[in-house]
Amino acid sequence: MEALIPVINKLQDVFNTVGADIIQLPQIVVVGTQSSGKSSVLESLVGRDILPRGTGVVTRRPLILQLVHIDPEDRRKSNEENGIEGEEWGKFLHTKNKIYTDFEEIRQEIEAETERMSGNNKGISDEPIHLKIFSPHVVNLTLVDLPGITKVPVGDQPKDIEIQIRELIFKYISNPNSIILAVTAANTDMATSEALKVAREVDIDGRRTLAVVTKLDLMDAGTDAMDVLMGRVIPVKLGIIGVVNRSQLDINQKKLVADAVRDEYAFLQKKYPSLANRNGTKYLARTLNRLLMHHIRDCLPELKTRINVLAAQYQSLLNSYGEPVDDKSSTLLQLITKFAAEYCRTIEGTAKYIETAELCGGARICYIFHETFGRTLESVDPLGGLTTIDVLTAIRNATGPRPALFVPEVSFELLVKRQVKRLEEPSLRCVELVHEEMQRIIQHCSNYSTQELLRFPKLHDAIVEVVTSLLRKRLPVTNEMVHNLVAIELAYINTKHPDFADACGLMNNNIEEQRRSRMRDLPAAVPRDKAAAGGSQSGPVSEQVDGGTGNWRGMLKRGEDSAGERAVSQSPFPSSPQRGHAVNLLDVPVPVSRKLSAREQRDCEVIERLIKSYFLIVRKNIQDSVPKAVMHFLVNHVKDCLQSELVGQLYKTALLSDLLTESEDMAQRRTEAADMLKALQKAGQVIAEIRETHMW
């Protein structure tokens, strides 16, 4: 079990070499307010004065402190290998292999490094300082010293210093693999402890919080911390340990930490004899060592899983970066072929990377054809924008100066062409949507399928330009074909279409009904059989003429009288024009709407039914033919010609070097990914060695 902490130290060293913080390793995070005695507790655990001292915020960067216990034999080997004199020394990560045997120099280096990153204005930084202390007098621990919690900015500190410090503290204590060491001064109210408050925000159950009560010797006369240390005030699951710090006078007088520990033991024996064995710096060190070992043991299986997952991810990332290019010609041809194949597979729905968030490629094109385009056509009203007056006007215009006995066919053709023309706009919009989707497929292939292209930004841009140009060239061709499909329907109104037979039958029935109606309206003086025969088979010619003339004159007379009555009733003027005054008929207003006669109503209904019937036939044809035209002239053509177009435009000797130039940061990212993969593999080996020794 004791060897588990060095394992974590090894893992920390492994990840420090790559400057990564992707693995949350078990560690002890020290939290407390300013002047609560955090630094004194840490120095007591180290046994040396190593931390900067002063007023206000002294700790302004996280200090990750690794205590490494060394045996005499190991110390002797290290001294011989590194030329070290003394039994204790320290090493900083940022100074590489430099060894510090003077602990005053270590403190100065911490101050210098803090000011280098945080400045000298009491500001803070979240960039940690890594320090490793080797000593035979310490237990194996990994501690994190953080800035003390403060409320009010002092001097030229930032106004949001409290928020900055809280965010920094939560960054470390939120690590589920950390143990929180909450430091509170004994001469303050335990119930108002800021350290315990922030600890409980992330460790609700209190399973990884240990409380330390400092300055037991500074309590008011007549009071003690017995209730606090016994957990009667604020219970803490991992326990509460009291310690006695060195006073500022002791520090100024250079009192050794070892002497302070002896005085602390004497104080506890005198003041808290029943609790002396469960308090003090030495007991705190042993407790932290024990808690950290058990915590590491519980965390190692999860750490192993996390490391394996990350190793697989970085291996995949490294593979996507590829190896340095040797044969540029072959590499270029492979990349072009792979992109073209992936583009076609995305359209066909057989791509390796299937999008789950939205439709793309061929599936989206299918949706455009059958959902977007289909529903748009179905929403087009066959008689939309066509009023009954429009139909009646078309009928009248088609008859010229002669009143029509039957509904003119020309009016039907005129109106149905106008309605069919309305199908062209949604058809062209369908082409546009498919073109946009094929443009989106380029980006899809670049992002998900052919990440190797990201290595060569110029090649990627060139491929995008070639495919975009190909799509741009096919767009007018496809639009022209779709335009022609509508023009074909307009060119010839096929009233003999099989599906139009019912509508024609309706029209014929209506014409027959009109003929019979006129027969019923003939005057009684004219025999119906003669009228039907044209009046050529019976009666003298003079009688026919006279009769016809008489009837025509009578009907004309009645028509004139009737017209005069209607003119009077419908005229908007109060009186008729005076005799001798010219009348301009163009000035007579034409009524916009009026009640249609039975015949007019019937004629309009016939034309509307014919238009609707024929429009539905054409709409069905357009709904079927437009997707076929788009697939043939745009989608399939691009699929068939894409690779040859790419090869023809890009596979040229003069372009090889330029197209296969890697991005500036690609080599650096490849190196970083390789280093991280190596670190993860090494970390996996370290954990595997632990398993082999049956430590957990």
Side-chain angles (χ1 to χ4, degrees):
M1 283 275 290
E2 183 67 28
L4 288 177
I5 296 178
V7 169
I8 295 301
N9 290 340
K10 285 184 180 180
L11 293 178
Q12 186 72 60
D13 293 342
V14 167
F15 293 117
N16 285 344
T17 58
V18 292
D21 191 22
I22 59 174
I23 296 290
Q24 294 180 318
L25 296 174
Q27 55 194 5
I28 299 169
V29 182
V30 185
V31 179
T33 57
Q34 282 186 24
S35 304
S36 61
K38 293 189 299 85
S39 298
S40 295
V41 171
L42 289 173
E43 288 182 335
S44 297
L45 294 173
V46 176
R48 288 280 194 157
D49 293 331
I50 62 170
L51 299 177
R53 294 284 182 171
T55 59
V57 181
V58 178
T59 304
R60 295 187 288 129
R61 287 180 61 183
L63 174 65
I64 298 179
L65 179 62
Q66 293 177 266
L67 304 182
V68 181
H69 176 81
I70 54 173
D71 296 326
E73 183 64 26
D74 295 332
R75 185 177 72 250
R76 189 164 45 252
K77 289 182 179 179
S78 298
N79 290 348
E80 293 174 358
E81 293 174 359
N82 301 307
I84 302 172
E85 295 181 1
E87 60 179 10
E88 297 176 299
W89 67 90
K91 291 174 64 177
F92 286 98
L93 177 64
H94 64 272
T95 58
K96 304 302 179 183
N97 296 323
K98 183 177 179 180
I99 295 176
Y100 296 81
T101 55
D102 184 355
F103 282 82
E104 180 63 26
E105 190 178 355
I106 290 178
R107 178 163 59 186
Q108 293 174 359
E109 180 61 30
I110 292 176
E111 292 177 348
E113 182 65 12
T114 298
E115 291 188 1
R116 186 181 68 83
M117 291 295 296
S118 306
N120 54 8
N121 64 344
K122 299 297 184 180
I124 66 170
S125 169
D126 62 352
E127 188 69 25
I129 298 174
H130 293 267
L131 172 61
K132 187 179 291 188
I133 300 295
F134 299 85
S135 171
H137 308 300
V138 299
V139 295
N140 290 312
L141 289 175
T142 301
L143 301 152
V144 180
D145 186 24
L146 296 173
I149 302 171
T150 185
K151 293 292 185 181
V152 181
V154 178
D156 55 355
Q157 285 182 342
K159 292 184 178 180
D160 63 341
I161 187 69
E162 178 188 0
I163 298 175
Q164 290 185 30
I165 292 175
R166 283 182 63 88
E167 290 178 350
L168 180 58
I169 290 173
F170 277 100
K171 175 182 177 181
Y172 282 89
I173 66 176
S174 297
N175 174 8
N177 296 332
S178 67
I179 294 175
I180 304 171
L181 189 64
V183 180
T184 304
N187 54 1
T188 61
D189 189 353
M190 190 75 168
T192 62
S193 171
E194 285 290 331
L196 288 175
K197 179 183 176 183
V198 297
R200 285 191 173 181
E201 290 185 36
V202 296
D203 182 28
I204 299 175
D205 299 331
R207 289 182 293 183
R208 54 186 184 91
T209 300
L210 174 68
V212 175
V213 179
T214 62
K215 305 182 181 181
L216 291 176
D217 56 331
L218 298 182
M219 296 187 69
D220 293 339
T223 63
D224 60 34
M226 185 66 73
D227 290 341
V228 172
L229 296 176
M230 295 292 290
R232 296 169 185 162
V233 178
I234 301 292
V236 180
K237 286 187 178 180
L238 294 184
I240 302 174
I241 299 176
V243 296
V244 176
N245 299 37
R246 287 182 299 167
S247 66
Q248 189 61 45
L249 179 62
D250 293 336
I251 296 172
N252 294 338
Q253 293 178 351
K254 305 296 182 181
K255 183 177 181 178
L256 297 177
V257 175
D259 295 338
V261 171
R262 283 195 297 270
D263 292 344
E264 175 192 54
Y265 181 74
F267 174 83
L268 291 173
Q269 287 289 351
K270 178 182 177 182
K271 188 72 175 178
Y272 304 96
S274 61
L275 301 178
N277 293 332
R278 287 181 286 153
N279 289 276
T281 301
K282 290 186 176 180
Y283 181 77
L284 174 62
R286 292 195 301 270
T287 302
L288 290 175
N289 179 264
R290 174 178 54 83
L291 290 175
L292 187 58
M293 283 192 299
H294 286 283
H295 201 59
I296 292 172
R297 181 192 61 188
D298 297 336
C299 294
L300 274 179
E302 183 181 347
L303 280 176
K304 180 179 182 297
T305 302
R306 174 69 174 158
I307 288 172
N308 290 340
V309 170
L310 286 173
Q313 292 176 352
Y314 273 92
Q315 182 66 63
S316 176
L317 182 63
L318 189 60
N319 293 340
S320 69
Y321 292 155
E323 298 294 332
V325 178
D326 294 327
D327 188 349
K328 293 186 177 182
S329 178
S330 174
T331 301
L332 177 60
L333 188 59
Q334 288 176 3
L335 290 174
I336 289 176
T337 302
K338 184 173 182 180
F339 179 88
E342 194 61 35
Y343 189 93
C344 295
R345 282 198 293 265
T346 303
I347 295 176
E348 295 165 358
T350 58
K352 181 179 179 181
Y353 296 90
I354 300 296
E355 180 66 59
T356 57
E358 60 178 354
L359 293 177
C360 71
R364 191 171 185 85
I365 293 174
C366 178
Y367 182 86
I368 292 171
F369 285 158
H370 302 292
E371 297 294 331
T372 306
F373 178 58
R375 290 181 179 178
T376 302
L377 289 187
E378 291 173 1
S379 67
V380 178
D381 183 7
L383 301 176
L386 198 63
T387 65
T388 304
I389 294 299
D390 294 338
V391 177
L392 183 60
T393 302
I395 294 174
R396 287 184 170 183
N397 287 336
T399 60
R402 297 174 301 280
L405 296 177
F406 309 109
V407 179
E409 187 174 341
V410 176
S411 62
F412 161 71
E413 290 197 10
L414 174 69
L415 294 172
V416 81
K417 286 181 179 180
R418 171 179 163 181
Q419 298 306 102
V420 169
K421 183 70 175 175
R422 298 168 61 219
L423 297 176
E424 183 174 7
E425 182 179 352
S427 300
L428 293 175
R429 178 58 181 158
C430 176
V431 178
E432 183 181 349
L433 290 175
V434 174
H435 177 267
E436 290 175 359
E437 178 56 28
M438 296 193 72
Q439 193 74 35
R440 289 176 68 246
I441 296 175
I442 303 174
Q443 193 63 36
H444 173 83
C445 293
S446 301
N447 291 343
Y448 298 99
S449 306
T450 53
Q451 292 189 3
E452 296 94 334
L453 285 178
L454 299 179
R455 293 178 58 193
F456 312 108
K458 291 186 177 181
L459 175 59
H460 175 266
D461 295 343
I463 289 177
V464 171
E465 178 60 31
V466 170
V467 181
T468 302
S469 176
L470 178 60
L471 289 171
R472 193 185 303 119
K473 286 191 295 185
R474 297 307 301 173
L475 184 59
V477 177
T478 310
N479 281 336
E480 182 65 22
M481 182 59 201
V482 171
H483 172 78
N484 287 337
L485 288 176
V486 178
I488 289 169
E489 296 291 346
L490 296 173
Y492 181 64
I493 305 301
N494 183 16
T495 55
K496 292 296 184 180
H497 192 285
D499 295 340
F500 196 59
D502 295 340
C504 291
L506 174 65
M507 186 174 181
N508 292 335
N509 292 338
N510 186 73
I511 293 173
E512 182 63 25
E513 182 180 350
Q514 288 182 357
R515 190 187 67 79
R516 285 196 294 268
S517 176
R518 285 195 301 275
M519 294 295 292
R520 287 194 299 270
D521 294 339
L522 285 175
V526 181
R528 294 181 183 277
D529 56 346
K530 294 181 180 180
S536 60
Q537 296 181 3
S538 60
V541 174
S542 59
E543 292 179 3
Q544 295 178 30
V545 174
D546 291 342
T549 302
N551 280 334
W552 176 78
R553 287 175 178 170
M555 293 172 65
L556 180 60
K557 178 63 177 176
R558 290 193 299 272
E560 289 174 349
D561 295 341
S562 176
E565 293 174 0
R566 286 197 301 273
V568 171
S569 62
Q570 295 183 4
S571 174
F573 300 104
S575 61
S576 301
Q578 297 180 0
R579 184 183 300 275
H581 289 274
V583 179
N584 186 358
L585 295 179
L586 296 178
D587 290 340
V588 179
V590 178
V592 177
S593 62
R594 61 180 177 81
K595 185 177 180 181
L596 302 182
S597 66
R599 176 178 174 178
E600 289 173 337
Q601 184 70 34
R602 186 168 58 247
D603 290 350
C604 289
E605 289 179 358
V606 168
I607 291 297
E608 288 175 356
R609 290 179 184 178
L610 291 175
I611 291 173
K612 184 174 182 180
S613 177
Y614 195 82
F615 180 88
L616 295 178
I617 294 172
V618 175
R619 186 173 72 183
K620 184 178 179 181
N621 294 342
I622 294 296
Q623 191 171 353
D624 178 65
S625 58
V626 167
K628 293 179 179 178
V630 174
M631 286 298 297
H632 177 72
F633 287 91
L634 181 60
V635 179
N636 290 344
H637 187 277
V638 170
K639 281 173 52 183
D640 296 340
C641 301
L642 179 59
Q643 182 165 351
S644 60
E645 189 78 12
L646 288 171
V647 172
Q649 295 286 339
L650 304 179
Y651 191 64
K652 298 176 181 179
T653 305
L655 299 177
L656 285 178
S657 298
D658 186 50
L659 292 178
L660 293 181
T661 301
E662 285 190 325
S663 59
E664 296 178 358
D665 61 338
M666 181 57 67
Q668 179 182 352
R669 284 191 286 175
R670 186 189 295 112
T671 301
E672 291 175 353
D675 292 343
M676 181 59 69
L677 179 61
K678 189 182 299 182
L680 289 167
Q681 291 172 342
K682 188 173 181 179
Q685 293 174 358
V686 171
I687 295 181
E689 292 173 0
I690 299 295
R691 296 198 61 163
E692 291 176 1
T693 56
H694 306 287
M695 288 188 180
W696 101 82

